[in-house]
Amino acid sequence: MSLHDEIAKATIESVRSSIMRHMPPSPQKNYYLWGISNTNPYREDFLQMVGIYQLINLSVQMIGDLIEEVDRQTVAQYCGRINAYFLYEIVSDNLANGLSSLCVIDQNASNRRDILHAFNHVMTTRLKGEHNATAELLKPIEGLTQSISSFAQSLNPRKHQTCISAYLAQHPDVKQEEIEYGVWPMLVANIESCYELAEYMSHFQVGDLLQQGFVDRYQGVTNTIQVDHGLPLGELVRMGTHTVSVVPVLAYFAGVLTEIIRAEPRLYSIIQDGTLADALNTSAVIVRLVNDVGMLLTLSQVERKNVMNQLWDHYHNNKSDIDAIDHLLMSAPDEYTMLTRLQKDLLHGEFNICLHNLAYSNSIDEALTLLDNNLANLSELYYRSQTHLHDLLASIDRRMTNRTLSNLIAGFVRFHEMIYAEPYNSTIGEYVA
Amino acid sequence: MGYNISWYIPGRVVQAVFMDTISLEEAESASAKTAQFIQEGEPPLVHLIADTTNLDRFPTNLNILNRSASKHLWQPKLGWTIVISTNSTTRFITGIITQVARVRFRMFPTLDEGLRFLADQDATLRDQILNTITA
């Protein structure tokens, strides 16, 4: 069996186990169990739609070249565990779509902000070991979640509609609304599966890094959805870096590869002096930057000036139709898909470090000038971070007995640089970290 | 109400006519109602003709439109979406949303031109559509 097939098998088994143990009884639970079941004729579509295939591909890319054949099955089990958590994470992460500074905050958006605020609080307190009553503590927002269409919040509502239509044809007693507006059980399962991962890894040296990474992520999301004013670029980068799950994910796989599968005797030293934490945080900065800005980061000053000149020309040629910066960026000719990451976040209303402050500019002219400055500063930060990470990985290599850890981190960053260079609506660019 | 949804050809072609001013709530309910028509239509494909010739004002926030007023675009049975408009802003916004949703989409300045295009695309409807144009 190939590594891909091993991870696919383990992931689906972990998802099934997690749904059974972590998700409260609900139509949603029945739908997901049907979705992953071998008897479902639309199983392939379902697995694609909920992101399981993308998660499997990411796992293969991350650890494929780092493990021996003899360890495959064990490593696949660990991939399955974290992938099960990410299945729910995709759903809760989607609730923040439409809450960026450039979005109009209507009643539905306000409800989602309240839901996320409560969810992030229950998550962080659970991770800190302050309670063992997730469902009970989330109960007050259950009614609010029933106003939210998980399909509309997703990046692929058409695929959701296709799968639910198939399900309803086989289960005429179920109503679409019970599934489409039934996100609450997923939130409970999200917290419980995250806690289970963190608790398990707390017995290893990477445990503290992983737990703090998760806590930072959920507190970071609360910060990004609360901010209602412009912020210095450095502060936006800091906030954005916390919300990507790079630190906990890399800490998890670092633990699997250097503590569980093979014991790396010198791991302790790079944890103690903060080298590993620095490497993971720097990776998170790079991944956040490529997630938000994409290929624009790699342009020379002259090339960037050309892109900006094209945007100015497009604006001047279509001034009568363009009344907002999002209209301009969404409609600009983009032969080399340079704008794809900005366009994705504009369309889905996601927090973006390069775009956040544009919402507080007084005109499109001012917004374009700000965009130019942001791109210049973020490109510089990108190169500085890459150099710093290179130095850190060289230091880790010198101190460890093998290159597994540095290869894991470098490969993870490279993979994200590659996928975020692709158009966001292509199959490869669809994966969201 | 600034819109009216009905069958142009029962079970096969939905007609959505928009007029005057459309609020976000109306855009949402029009989209949901259109989705219902498409769901109840005959397989394999139900086409949509959206006539915005007499529409003056409508929500232009791309994110909200994409999230809240595009339920009809998710429908697996949706065939061609034909938008009738001469207004450049309508053409601009509609073009972005339908492009993102990756649906089969064309825009025409008159209903006649839109119908003739649809008749060319779907041979099973050709005679019925051409009869309505010449009638």
Side-chain angles (χ1 to χ4, degrees):
Chain A
M1 196 185 279
S2 70
L3 177 64
H4 181 279
D5 291 348
E6 290 269 16
I7 294 176
K9 187 175 165 219
T11 296
I12 291 165
E13 264 321 299
S14 290
V15 167
R16 192 192 320 278
S17 163
S18 173
I19 292 171
M20 294 300 292
R21 290 179 297 114
H22 299 140
M23 205 186 291
S26 55
Q28 190 74 261
K29 181 175 188 168
N30 300 337
Y31 178 51
Y32 266 73
L33 287 172
W34 169 84
I36 62 169
S37 153
N38 285 325
T39 59
N40 171 17
Y42 303 94
R43 187 172 185 253
E44 300 295 307
D45 290 335
F46 186 90
L47 297 176
Q48 172 75 30
M49 176 209 51
V50 296
I52 288 180
Y53 281 145
Q54 294 91 315
L55 293 169
I56 294 165
N57 287 339
L58 174 66
S59 302
V60 174
Q61 289 288 335
M62 275 184 72
I63 48 101
D65 295 332
L66 304 176
I67 58 168
E68 314 261 338
E69 195 157 345
V70 67
D71 297 322
R72 265 187 185 178
Q73 209 176 351
T74 312
V75 174
Q77 300 293 329
Y78 284 100
C79 292
R81 288 184 185 194
I82 197 165
N83 288 344
Y85 152 74
F86 268 117
L87 174 78
Y88 310 120
E89 186 65 15
I90 290 169
V91 176
S92 62
D93 197 45
N94 283 344
L95 293 179
N97 291 348
L99 295 181
S100 79
S101 59
L102 284 155
C103 291
V104 174
I105 301 298
D106 57 4
Q107 186 56 51
N108 188 282
S110 177
N111 288 350
R112 279 183 283 116
R113 200 155 52 184
D114 292 346
I115 291 165
L116 279 173
H117 195 274
F119 168 78
N120 291 331
H121 177 69
V122 177
M123 175 68 97
T124 49
T125 48
R126 178 74 166 127
L127 286 168
K128 289 174 183 171
E130 293 175 15
H131 69 80
N132 180 17
T134 297
E136 195 182 314
L137 291 169
L138 284 182
K139 203 70 185 166
I141 58 161
E142 186 175 12
L144 215 50
T145 62
Q146 287 161 359
S147 65
I148 308 301
S149 162
S150 58
F151 296 3
Q153 287 304 124
S154 76
L155 304 187
N156 51 6
R158 287 193 89 183
K159 289 179 187 168
H160 279 277
Q161 187 60 52
T162 304
C163 285
I164 192 71
S165 298
Y167 181 67
L168 296 177
Q170 288 183 14
H171 300 82
D173 51 320
V174 180
K175 292 192 175 107
Q176 177 164 337
E177 293 72 36
E178 294 176 312
I179 312 288
E180 185 179 344
Y181 293 87
V183 77
W184 187 81
M186 302 286 283
L187 300 181
V188 176
N190 193 174
I191 293 175
E192 287 305 294
S193 61
C194 185
Y195 171 76
E196 191 174 87
L197 270 185
E199 200 283 325
Y200 181 82
M201 294 307 286
S202 70
H203 303 288
F204 297 95
Q205 295 176 71
V206 295
D208 288 346
L209 263 177
L210 179 132
Q211 194 223 25
Q212 191 57 48
F214 275 137
V215 169
D216 286 345
R217 165 174 164 68
Y218 295 103
Q219 281 175 347
V221 173
T222 294
N223 292 337
T224 62
I225 60 174
Q226 274 176 341
V227 62
D228 60 357
H229 53 275
L231 286 171
L233 204 52
E235 178 62 12
L236 292 169
V237 171
R238 197 187 61 78
M239 278 168 67
T241 300
H242 281 162
T243 62
V244 285
S245 303
V246 172
V247 171
V249 170
L250 280 176
Y252 178 79
F253 280 103
V256 170
L257 297 177
T258 64
E259 292 192 79
I260 296 170
I261 301 299
R262 299 271 182 280
E264 167 55 65
R266 298 178 192 166
L267 179 66
Y268 177 77
S269 71
I270 60 165
I271 291 178
Q272 271 307 104
D273 71 2
T275 303
L276 182 59
D278 195 0
L280 301 194
N281 279 318
T282 308
S283 302
V285 171
I286 295 172
V287 170
R288 181 78 222 192
L289 288 171
V290 293
N291 175 70
D292 287 15
V293 190
M295 288 286 283
L296 288 165
L297 293 167
T298 62
L299 300 183
S300 68
Q301 272 187 1
V302 174
E303 289 167 334
R304 199 166 55 240
K305 194 165 185 290
N306 286 339
V307 170
M308 288 308 300
N309 285 341
Q310 283 170 10
L311 288 176
W312 280 107
D313 289 345
H314 176 64
Y315 174 46
H316 289 136
N317 294 337
N318 298 277
K319 225 168 183 169
S320 60
D321 288 329
I322 294 172
D323 59 6
I325 186 70
D326 58 338
H327 289 180
L328 191 156
L329 293 172
M330 287 302 296
S331 62
D334 189 21
E335 191 184 349
Y336 301 107
T337 62
M338 288 286 165
L339 304 175
T340 187
R341 301 309 299 177
L342 303 181
Q343 290 175 337
K344 171 185 172 285
D345 288 345
L346 283 170
L347 187 71
H348 297 291
E350 292 182 63
F351 173 80
N352 183 301
I353 54 181
C354 189
L355 297 174
H356 176 84
N357 284 342
L358 273 55
Y360 306 100
S361 52
N362 295 312
S363 65
I364 294 178
D365 293 63
E366 199 181 306
L368 271 177
T369 306
L370 190 54
L371 176 65
D372 195 7
N373 286 338
N374 287 352
L375 288 176
N377 289 324
L378 293 175
S379 297
E380 200 186 316
L381 175 63
Y382 178 59
Y383 284 111
R384 271 206 320 271
S385 302
Q386 278 187 320
T387 308
H388 186 52
L389 182 62
H390 183 268
D391 292 345
L392 287 166
L393 295 184
S395 163
I396 289 173
D397 272 347
R398 282 193 297 274
R399 295 162 65 184
M400 298 292 102
T401 55
N402 63 57
R403 304 185 73 161
T404 301
L405 195 49
S406 63
N407 284 342
L408 167 74
I409 297 168
F412 182 87
V413 170
R414 239 192 340 266
F415 176 69
H416 284 84
E417 288 174 324
M418 181 191 77
I419 59 169
Y420 291 145
E422 297 291 328
Y424 75 88
N425 50 4
S426 67
T427 308
I428 191 169
E430 202 178 55
Y431 169 77
V432 181
Chain B
M1 194 186 290
Y3 68 88
N4 182 42
I5 316 290
S6 60
W7 286 115
Y8 186 79
I9 294 174
R12 304 294 312 279
V13 181
V14 185
Q15 184 174 33
V17 181
F18 298 91
M19 59 219 93
D20 305 327
T21 298
I22 289 280
S23 66
L24 178 63
E25 290 71 27
E26 286 174 320
E28 280 178 24
S29 68
S31 175
K33 196 167 178 188
T34 306
Q36 202 179 334
F37 270 74
I38 295 167
Q39 280 174 6
E40 289 165 4
E42 292 171 24
L45 295 176
V46 178
H47 307 293
L48 168 64
I49 296 176
D51 190 343
T52 66
T53 312
N54 296 312
L55 179 62
D56 298 326
R57 289 178 64 83
F58 62 97
T60 57
N61 184 284
L62 292 173
N63 170 257
I64 285 203
L65 282 173
N66 182 53
R67 215 162 18 84
S68 308
S70 63
K71 192 162 189 171
H72 61 287
L73 297 175
W74 314 345
Q75 302 309 313
K77 264 193 287 186
L78 178 63
W80 279 95
T81 296
I82 310 286
V83 174
I84 314 300
S85 175
T86 50
N87 177 295
S88 61
T89 306
T90 312
R91 296 169 72 88
F92 181 77
I93 301 286
T94 315
I96 293 172
I97 298 291
T98 47
Q99 196 182 352
V100 167
R102 286 187 273 186
V103 296
R104 283 161 282 208
F105 164 74
R106 287 288 188 284
M107 206 175 284
F108 295 94
T110 67
L111 183 59
D112 261 23
E113 286 173 79
L115 288 170
R116 283 183 201 284
F117 173 81
L118 191 55
D120 278 347
Q121 298 305 311
D122 191 335
T124 65
L125 287 169
R126 187 168 298 151
D127 291 344
Q128 274 176 287
I129 290 177
L130 293 178
N131 282 341
T132 65
I133 298 173
T134 53

